[in-house]
Amino acid sequence: MIQEHVTTIQGVRVHLLPTDKYKTTTLVLKLKAPLAKETVTMRALLPYVWQSGTANYPTMKALRTYLDDLYGATLNVDLMKKGEHHVMTIRLDVANEKFLSEQMPLLHEAISLLSDIVLRPALENGRFFSQIVEQEKRALKQRIQSVYDDKMRYANLRLVEEMCQNEPYALHVHGRLEDIEAITPESLFAYYEKVLREDEIDLYVIGDIEEVHTLEMIRSHFSFPSRSAQTVSLVTTQPKTVIDVRQVVEKQDVKQGKLNIGYRTHITYEDDDYYALQQFNGIFGGFSHSKLFINVREKASLAYYAASRLESHKGLLMVMTGIEPTNYEKALHIIHEQMKAMKQGDFTDEEMAQTKAVIRNQLLETLDTPRGLVEVLYHNVISARKRPVEEWLAKIEDVSREAVIRVAEKVELDTIYFLTGMEGK
Amino acid sequence: MEKIVYDQLQEQLYYEKMPNGLDVYLLPKKAFNKTYAVFTTKYGSVDNQFVPRGKTEMKRVPDGIAHFLEHKLFEKEDGDVFHQFSKQGASANAFTSFTRTAYLFSSTSDVEKNVETLIDFVQSPYFSEQTVEKEKGIIGQEIRMYDDNPDWRLYFGVIESLYHHHPVKIDIAGTVESIADITKELLYECYETFYHPSNMLLFIVGPIDEQAMMEQIRRNQAKKTFPSPEPIQRYVYEEPKEVATPRRVIPMHVQTSKCLVGIKAKHVVSKGKEKLTHELAMNVLLDYLFGKSSSHYERLYQAGIIDETFAYDYTEEESFGFAIVGGDTSDPDRLSEELKQMILSFEPSALTAEALERVKKKKIGAFLRALNSPEYIANQFTRYAFHETSLFEVAKVLQSLTVDDVREVVDECFHESQLAVCQIVPKASM
């Protein structure tokens, strides 16, 4: 179903995904290290410094002008938490020259540019440009602060913070505000050198590519300094038992209350029960036919959205909904009832079948976008468990009612977080 | 069935007009898993005054009714259509814009059934008093959610500032108060006026067999009866070319200030290739002025006035057009002044043929990238078709765009009286 050819070149795993579906070619570079207080802020800053200039195009304007010349190649970076890992991602997407009237070696230029961004950044006196670092430190502060203004994101983040106290997972993907000031061009550069030596690095190339030639281009451009043979930094999540359910109420000047609830599932991507957990989440709150949507929104008319999602590599289940502050008890009661129903096996064969069909559809659709395809395949890198897509589809089909109930029984309520108006509860 | 081939893009499009007036387009994309279908009516939030089908007088309906109708159409006597779709492995959705209401699904199996479900549910309204009342609670929470969202408040704040009368200034969902007046009778009246097949377009893209699918649609339409098509009379709002409120400040509980400058287009080309040219010229101009490779962007970013949220966009429909520029900022007053300065002092002669070529290249690449997305193709194709032009002409029109086309847009829009500033500032600092 998916042709993924993996080759290791100088400690970098290169994944080639030839397909003629797209009119562009996409390069995705992922760099992974454990999530840790000491490094989280540097990692949050580094990719943004990278995308501000290279040795050849040392300013943002020069680099962006060059991207425009490459028929508007897009360059973007982002950060993700995958369980207790912190992943930096750089994406470069470039038109496939066969659709252009002008013949330009765009893929070659793109590979060369991506390697420049990571391996040959803009430097002064053997370290990053201080002007770039200062500018990106300021942008990082704004990025961290902006979450307070988006209440949906804020409530999600606060729940994780409350729920995972003393676990690395509580760290923000964009780092710690209080650590930004102390970062210097020197300290960031020293950390950068460590990243090149020690991060686990994966490069994906998706598009209408010729494999041998593409590998040659990568080999000639990606000359990483001597890297320790791929350090597999597998961080396992320590099982945590819930002693007391935490309840946190926070007041702000908001019109809509945000009720977010965190559960521990004690199941991660690596477990055999993972498929049943997906199925559980689908029946409980993952879709518009799920219990949460039907009961909180359609029947009780309390909310516009009421959904649940999984943090697959951390084993968390998160419920989120936006309600009138005075409806807190009512909504919470309905959500508890739905969980109880799941644990009691109170769901129909029709709900089972429907959820399987939708999960299958969702997975196949995700594979239709270059970005989605990479995210699905990257699960295999994060986890020691390799799951080919065919296995995924077959195992979802095989999930039984009993397995879903077994999973439901493991799910444990951990924290209830409520962001409410000044006059609320 | 007509076949339209786009050689350079390697796309083949199939078209047929049904006897009842419905336009159907099919775009096979064999390598994809997903089929995406969107069934759209040319009816949106701006259509708040019209002559209902079978009547002679203009009628004003409550704000937010097009969006409310979109929500309610999913509910049938025997339950929710979402349910039906998910049983068939599809994910369904809908959206209402200023000028369109679209119903869609995407699925990787049971495509024929899903197509049938989509067409049938949109063409068989069922509204009851009880479910209309219940929906008011749900949409009420949707409105509240946006009330707390500073980006949305800012976006509508600037549109509201641009327009005196045009209903584009009204939030698509209406208000908690306006939706209270919606009744099932009003919903039927809107439905009958705007959901006639002759006012609608169906676009399907994916690994489909075009012959079989067109035949299925023909059969589906042939078994239904519709009254004969009638032209829809929509109220034409008289809108001055100047903005309504040049400056507006909205205090909210935020940590970061936000600022947008809106530019009101004076005259809007309503359709055809000219429209495409007008719209693309404005887009190219905005890119040249405010794109990440522009000197303005570099200067403002280095000065810490803007951050990565800085963006620009042009929206043009049949009866209105506006550009919006801005984002989060540490200094909203300075950003508004800087942006206004850039706009008002811009000399079209500064745009060299070389600079124009670079922006065009960038836009052509972006267009190819957009064609990776079945959703983009279907939604944008529909929009362009309603304007009597074609999405697949974009690259060609871009290619032929001249410095003069851009100059015209500057002359038309870049005047002080056509600019409005809207800011969100932290409440404490007021």
Side-chain angles (χ1 to χ4, degrees), chain A residues 304-315:
Chain A
Y304 173 63
Y305 68 92
S308 66
R309 67 187 168 86
L310 293 170
E311 295 278 357
S312 297
H313 296 282
K314 175 71 183 163

Side-chain angles (χ1 to χ4, degrees), chain A residues 48-326:
Chain A
Y48 291 92
V49 169
W50 279 340
Q51 71 158 5
S52 298
T54 66
N56 287 337
Y57 301 98
T59 64
M60 182 186 282
K61 182 168 159 52
L63 181 57
R64 294 286 161 180
T65 302
Y66 178 57
L67 290 165
D68 290 357
D69 281 331
L70 297 181
Y71 277 87
T74 56
L75 166 65
N76 57 68
V77 302
D78 74 30
L79 292 139
M80 275 186 292
K81 284 195 288 184
K82 289 278 176 188
E84 319 275 23
H85 296 102
H86 200 199
V87 179
M88 302 187 280
T89 303
I90 309 171
R91 294 189 192 84
L92 188 59
D93 188 72
V94 68
N96 182 328
E97 50 257 41
K98 80 175 181 193
F99 297 104
L100 301 172
S101 40
E102 180 190 10
Q103 290 310 304
M104 222 180 149
L106 286 176
L107 178 59
H108 183 259
E109 298 285 331
I111 288 174
S112 161
L113 178 60
L114 182 62
S115 73
D116 280 358
I117 287 166
V118 178
L119 295 168
R120 286 166 289 279
L123 299 181
E124 57 177 357
N125 309 323
R127 54 168 175 69
F128 291 118
F129 266 98
S130 47
Q131 195 206 1
I132 290 180
V133 173
E134 285 312 311
Q135 170 183 304
E136 290 310 317
K137 279 163 69 173
R138 198 167 50 210
L140 180 59
K141 276 184 207 159
Q142 288 189 21
R143 207 171 293 131
I144 293 173
Q145 277 163 348
S146 72
V147 76
Y148 294 95
D149 300 339
D150 178 340
K151 299 308 168 196
M152 219 185 281
R153 269 175 67 207
Y154 177 76
N156 277 328
L157 184 134
R158 287 284 299 119
L159 171 63
V160 170
E161 228 172 43
E162 290 290 343
M163 186 170 170
C164 299
Q165 288 174 10
N166 306 320
E167 294 170 76
Y169 197 75
L171 291 165
H172 297 191
V173 75
H174 290 301
R176 292 152 41 98
L177 202 53
E178 62 269 36
D179 290 347
I180 297 176
E181 217 31 72
I183 297 177
T184 64
E186 289 78 15
S187 67
L188 188 66
F189 191 77
Y191 181 67
Y192 159 70
E193 291 186 303
K194 185 176 149 72
V195 163
L196 293 191
R197 282 193 313 269
E198 296 175 9
D199 263 32
E200 204 176 326
I201 306 178
D202 289 86
L203 171 64
Y204 293 84
V205 186
I206 308 104
D208 194 2
I209 49 172
E210 201 281 305
E211 296 188 44
V212 175
H213 184 52
T214 306
L215 280 178
E216 255 169 43
M217 289 191 282
I218 292 170
R219 205 168 273 126
S220 69
H221 287 284
F222 278 87
S223 49
F224 277 88
S226 67
R227 291 167 49 73
S228 30
Q230 199 66 258
T231 35
V232 180
S233 56
L234 203 61
V235 185
T236 42
T237 298
Q238 295 303 312
K240 190 184 159 186
T241 338
V242 186
I243 298 157
D244 279 315
V245 173
R246 281 174 63 78
Q247 294 210 44
V248 181
V249 176
E250 192 175 333
K251 291 191 179 190
Q252 277 190 22
D253 184 16
V254 292
K255 293 194 175 159
Q256 183 176 68
K258 305 286 181 201
L259 174 56
N260 285 41
I261 305 173
Y263 303 82
R264 298 209 178 246
T265 68
H266 306 289
I267 297 163
T268 69
Y269 191 83
E270 283 159 41
D271 297 306
D272 292 334
D273 271 341
Y274 178 68
Y275 301 104
L277 179 64
Q278 284 288 343
Q279 177 73 2
F280 165 88
N281 180 55
I283 300 174
F284 179 61
F287 303 104
S288 60
H289 68 270
S290 306
K291 288 192 183 298
L292 291 181
F293 192 88
I294 298 292
N295 290 287
V296 179
R297 173 176 149 137
E298 296 297 307
K299 289 200 178 141
S301 190
L302 292 182
Y304 173 63
Y305 68 92
S308 66
R309 67 187 168 86
L310 293 170
E311 295 278 357
S312 297
H313 296 282
K314 175 71 183 163
L316 306 181
L317 172 76
M318 310 291 207
V319 166
M320 60 212 127
T321 185
I323 56 172
E324 203 59 46
T326 48

Side-chain angles (χ1 to χ4, degrees), chain A residues 324-422:
Chain A
E324 203 59 46
T326 48
N327 284 333
Y328 173 80
E329 298 293 346
K330 226 191 267 179
L332 190 60
H333 178 74
I334 297 172
I335 296 166
H336 285 332
E337 287 295 306
Q338 304 321 304
M339 182 56 84
K340 205 163 93 193
M342 294 301 299
K343 289 179 190 281
Q344 290 170 345
D346 185 7
F347 47 85
T348 62
D349 289 342
E350 192 190 331
E351 281 172 281
M352 282 288 287
Q354 206 167 1
T355 303
K356 286 177 182 179
V358 176
I359 291 177
R360 181 190 161 83
N361 183 53
Q362 192 180 47
L363 179 65
L364 289 172
E365 283 194 15
T366 305
L367 301 178
D368 270 346
T369 67
R371 189 182 178 135
L373 181 57
V374 171
E375 293 311 322
V376 168
L377 294 174
Y378 195 62
H379 281 300
N380 293 326
V381 170
I382 295 292
S383 161
R385 180 76 175 252
K386 306 278 171 276
R387 294 179 191 278
V389 171
E390 289 77 5
E391 181 190 318
W392 237 105
L393 294 171
K395 289 283 172 93
I396 278 288
E397 224 41 65
D398 288 348
V399 171
S400 64
R401 292 181 59 82
E402 292 67 36
V404 176
I405 297 168
R406 185 170 71 231
V407 163
E409 282 166 352
K410 289 191 192 174
V411 175
E412 221 179 340
L413 175 62
D414 185 300
T415 301
I416 300 167
Y417 171 83
F418 190 46
L419 174 65
T420 183
M422 304 306 268

Side-chain angles (χ1 to χ4, degrees), chain A residues 20-24 48 59-61 64-65 68-69 71-74 93-95 98-102 104 131 135-136 138-139 142-143 145-146 148-149 151-152 253-256 258 288-289 294 297-299 301-305 322-324 350 354 357-358 360-361 364-365 367-368, chain B residues 8-11 29 31-34 71 75 80 82-83 86-91 106-109 134-135 137-138 141-142 144-145 147-148 150 153 253-256 258 292-295 297-298 301-304 306-308 328 330 358 361-362 364-366 368-369 371-372 399 427:
Chain A
D20 60 4
K21 266 158 99 156
Y22 310 114
K23 292 190 163 54
T24 59
Y48 291 92
T59 64
M60 182 186 282
K61 182 168 159 52
R64 294 286 161 180
T65 302
D68 290 357
D69 281 331
Y71 277 87
T74 56
D93 188 72
V94 68
K98 80 175 181 193
F99 297 104
L100 301 172
S101 40
E102 180 190 10
M104 222 180 149
Q131 195 206 1
Q135 170 183 304
E136 290 310 317
R138 198 167 50 210
Q142 288 189 21
R143 207 171 293 131
Q145 277 163 348
S146 72
Y148 294 95
D149 300 339
K151 299 308 168 196
M152 219 185 281
D253 184 16
V254 292
K255 293 194 175 159
Q256 183 176 68
K258 305 286 181 201
S288 60
H289 68 270
I294 298 292
R297 173 176 149 137
E298 296 297 307
K299 289 200 178 141
S301 190
L302 292 182
Y304 173 63
Y305 68 92
I323 56 172
E324 203 59 46
E350 192 190 331
Q354 206 167 1
V358 176
R360 181 190 161 83
N361 183 53
L364 289 172
E365 283 194 15
L367 301 178
D368 270 346
Chain B
Q8 182 77 39
L9 295 170
Q10 297 182 22
E11 301 285 0
K29 270 198 182 270
F32 279 74
N33 299 316
K34 158 163 80 183
H71 272 240
E75 204 155 293
D80 206 310
F82 276 122
H83 223 61
S86 65
K87 268 193 236 169
Q88 294 161 195
S91 66
S106 64
S107 83
T108 54
S109 61
K134 211 191 59 191
E135 200 66 26
I138 297 170
Q141 284 312 310
E142 186 179 5
R144 289 272 180 259
M145 179 178 82
D147 281 345
D148 283 335
R153 292 275 300 273
H253 270 270
V254 292
Q255 299 214 349
T256 312
K258 292 167 188 287
K292 279 189 173 162
S293 58
S294 68
S295 33
Y297 186 94
E298 184 183 47
Y301 191 87
Q302 281 177 356
I306 58 170
D307 64 15
E308 67 214 357
D328 291 1
S330 55
R358 175 175 291 134
K361 264 188 174 179
K362 176 180 173 185
I364 287 167
L368 287 176
R369 180 168 306 108
L371 294 187
N372 288 342
Q399 207 67 268
K427 238 179 193 169

Side-chain angles (χ1 to χ4, degrees), chain B residues 109-121:
Chain B
S109 61
D110 278 343
V111 171
E112 291 77 20
K113 267 195 228 164
N114 287 318
V115 167
E116 210 69 6
T117 305
L118 175 70
I119 303 176
D120 288 349
F121 102 79

Side-chain angles (χ1 to χ4, degrees), chain B residues 346-376:
Chain B
F346 177 66
E347 280 297 329
S349 56
L351 181 71
T352 60
E354 190 201 348
L356 179 63
E357 278 317 300
R358 175 175 291 134
V359 182
K360 281 192 204 176
K361 264 188 174 179
K362 176 180 173 185
K363 288 271 170 204
I364 287 167
F367 175 65
L368 287 176
R369 180 168 306 108
L371 294 187
N372 288 342
S373 159
E375 291 89 336
Y376 177 88

